[in-house]
């Protein structure tokens, strides 16, 4: 009915912002919260109580850009709306049944058992929405599809879905692993981290800040982590912007190809997320170099307004190529659906 976007991550001022918003809208019957990381003890979307709140605080350091700010909102909302249910909707739940070989890191058993070192995977709310929309577009049941989904926004990842289930994904224990992102580095040689610490004396805090906030497209270009800016700068002859985009699209192709290796066939390649939706140059550069997977370039470019209104578009043109689709990001709608599901309320919005 009403929405409001806040550009900065929520902090201590979240309570005031939320109070102002609630004064302008009908009283909600429930609140759904996007929580990026569930940690090892929560494997489904769930009501937030004191126990769940404590478990979330315990895993906040696994997704420092996301969980701690989200908990500011959780606390503010629970204080302002104490008599309505609050539901935590996790990005990790979509990947909870990853096969053992896909979730396991090749490290000693002690690290895996005692420290809980494993792959979780993220962007699950986005993937859940995109998968359902893809099935509708192709006229096939979800449990008969083998697809690669790619979420490209501030954070970027790819996911292999076999018969409705995530079987591989590029993000890992944290949302820092995998594809090059807007300001995050994506995967790096772990030996490079050891070398930077030993040889150059970089502290854990320096590594954390640089890899999360000053790397990725921003670190490569030196000017922007926004692909729109970089596409324009490249057209004007900016070599650093060109390198940033080339590195980014190669990273995406590597991720897509590695996900396809977990499937028997590729029924569709699906783009979602802000970059996936509105950066046709990036989609084209990814797909035109994926002929080895049966994907072709020459993609259609839908108007963003039409895509947002319709929710999805098939954009491939070659009759014998793998279908390529763009799905408008639906994390908010998926949170609403999962909140209703947890509460046992019928979802009449679909």
């Amino acid at each position: 009915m009403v929405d409001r976007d806040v550009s900065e991550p929520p902090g201590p001022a979240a309570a005031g912002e939320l109070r102002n918003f609630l004064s302008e809208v009908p009283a909600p019957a429930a609140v759904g919260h996007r929580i990026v990381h569930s940690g090892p003890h929560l494997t489904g979307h769930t009501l937030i109580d004191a126990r769940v709140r404590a478990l979330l605080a315990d895993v906040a350091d696994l997704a420092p850009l996301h969980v701690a700010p989200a908990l500011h909102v959780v606390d503010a909302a629970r204080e302002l709306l104490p008599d309505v249910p609050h539901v935590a909707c996790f990005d990790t739940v979509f990947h909870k049944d990853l096969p053992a070989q896909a979730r396991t890191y090749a490290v000693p058993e002690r690290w895996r058992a005692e420290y809980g070192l494993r792959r979780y995977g993220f962007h699950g709310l986005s993937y859940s929405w995109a998968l359902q929309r893809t099935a509708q577009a192709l006229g096939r049941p979800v449990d008969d599809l083998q697809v690669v989904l790619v979420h490209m926004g501030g954070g970027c990842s790819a996911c292999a879905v076999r018969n409705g289930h995530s079987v591989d994904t590029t993000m890992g224990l944290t949302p820092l692993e995998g594809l090059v992102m807007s300001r995050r580095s994506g995967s790096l040689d772990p030996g490079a981290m050891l070398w930077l610490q030993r040889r150059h004396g970089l502290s854990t805090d320096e590594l954390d800040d640089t890899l999360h906030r000053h790397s990725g497209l921003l670190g490569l270009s030196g000017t922007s982590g926004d692909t729109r800016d970089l596409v324009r700068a490249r057209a004007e002859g900016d070599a650093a912007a060109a390198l940033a985009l080339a590195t980014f699209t190669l990273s995406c192709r590597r991720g897509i190809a590695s996900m396809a290796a977990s499937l028997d066939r590729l029924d569709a390649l699906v783009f979602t997320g802000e970059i996936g939706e509105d950066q046709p140059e990036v989609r084209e550069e990814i797909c035109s170099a994926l002929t080895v997977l049966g994907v072709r370039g020459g993609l259609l470019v839908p108007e963003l307004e039409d895509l947002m209104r319709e929710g999805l578009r098939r954009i491939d043109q070659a009759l014998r190529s793998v279908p390529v689709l763009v799905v408008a990001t639906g994390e908010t709608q998926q949170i609403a659906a999962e909140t209703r599901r947890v509460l046992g309320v019928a979802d009449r919005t679909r």
Side-chain angles (χ1 to χ4, degrees):
M1 297 174 68
V2 180
D3 65 70
R4 179 175 298 166
D5 295 320
V6 179
S7 60
E8 295 299 318
E17 294 170 348
L18 187 57
R19 183 182 293 107
N20 292 338
F21 177 65
L22 290 171
S23 70
E24 302 170 5
V25 300
V31 181
H33 297 267
R34 180 195 178 200
I35 308 293
V36 165
H37 211 308
S38 65
H41 303 298
L42 299 169
T43 57
H45 311 299
T46 185
L47 283 166
I48 300 174
D49 56 18
R51 170 183 168 272
V52 169
R53 175 61 179 81
L55 290 172
L56 295 178
D58 190 53
V59 300
D61 60 342
L62 290 175
L65 297 183
H66 304 90
V67 176
L71 291 181
H72 284 301
V73 179
V74 168
D75 294 341
R78 292 180 74 204
E79 180 179 344
L80 291 168
L81 298 166
D83 299 321
V84 304
H86 294 257
V87 176
C89 301
F90 297 108
D91 272 310
T92 47
V93 166
F94 186 74
H95 309 287
K96 67 183 178 65
D97 295 321
L98 278 175
Q101 66 270 23
R103 69 171 182 265
T104 303
Y105 287 114
V107 295
E109 194 272 340
R110 180 188 172 196
W111 287 17
R112 290 179 274 122
E114 186 175 334
Y115 303 151
L117 195 60
R118 53 156 289 187
R119 183 180 303 280
Y120 282 91
F122 302 94
H123 289 135
L125 294 165
S126 176
Y127 288 145
S128 294
W129 179 262
L131 179 61
Q132 295 293 332
R133 300 290 284 164
T134 298
Q136 294 169 12
L138 298 179
R140 296 173 61 175
V142 166
D143 59 10
D144 186 43
L145 282 179
Q146 298 198 34
V147 299
V148 172
L149 308 173
V150 189
H151 179 104
M152 298 189 299
C156 302
S157 71
C159 173
V161 175
R162 179 199 292 266
N163 304 332
H165 299 281
S166 171
V167 293
D168 204 358
T169 189
T170 55
M171 283 182 168
L173 175 74
T174 77
L176 188 58
E177 187 181 0
L179 310 184
V180 171
M181 305 177 219
S182 176
R183 294 171 179 262
R184 280 175 262 168
S185 63
S187 292
L188 288 173
D189 177 356
M193 300 299 97
L194 300 175
W195 177 75
L196 287 168
Q197 288 179 310
R198 290 173 178 164
R199 182 69 176 269
H200 296 283
L202 269 65
S203 68
T204 302
D205 288 343
E206 285 178 288
L207 290 171
D208 184 292
D209 184 58
T210 300
L211 296 177
H212 278 101
R213 296 177 175 84
H214 305 287
S215 298
L217 289 168
L218 176 62
L220 286 164
S221 68
T223 55
S224 177
D226 190 321
T227 55
R228 293 168 297 186
D229 295 335
L230 298 178
V231 167
R232 287 192 292 267
R234 181 179 61 180
E236 295 168 0
D238 186 326
L243 175 62
L245 288 167
T247 304
F248 176 70
T249 55
L250 174 59
S251 171
C252 291
R253 294 196 300 273
R254 284 172 171 166
I256 292 166
S258 68
M259 293 302 99
S262 291
L263 303 176
D264 299 320
R265 62 181 190 273
L266 185 57
D267 294 328
L269 174 61
V270 183
F271 292 100
T272 190
E274 295 93 333
I275 299 173
E277 292 168 3
D278 67 4
Q279 199 68 70
E281 296 88 350
V282 169
R283 294 194 302 258
E284 181 66 31
E285 287 164 36
I286 291 171
C287 291
S288 62
L290 278 177
T291 54
V292 68
L293 296 181
V295 176
R296 299 287 187 273
L299 301 175
L300 300 171
V301 181
E303 291 292 335
L304 186 59
E305 184 178 325
D306 295 338
L307 175 62
M308 294 298 104
R309 184 179 62 254
E310 298 168 14
L312 62 89
R313 277 289 182 93
R314 182 168 172 175
I315 58 173
D316 60 287
Q317 297 192 74
L319 294 176
R320 296 184 180 179
S321 66
V322 169
V324 178
L325 291 89
V326 179
V327 176
T329 310
E331 288 164 317
T332 302
Q333 298 96 315
Q334 193 65 35
I335 290 167
E338 301 297 354
T339 299
R340 292 186 178 95
R341 192 172 292 115
V342 167
L343 300 176
V345 178
D347 187 352
R348 297 185 177 88
T349 64
R350 293 192 170 196

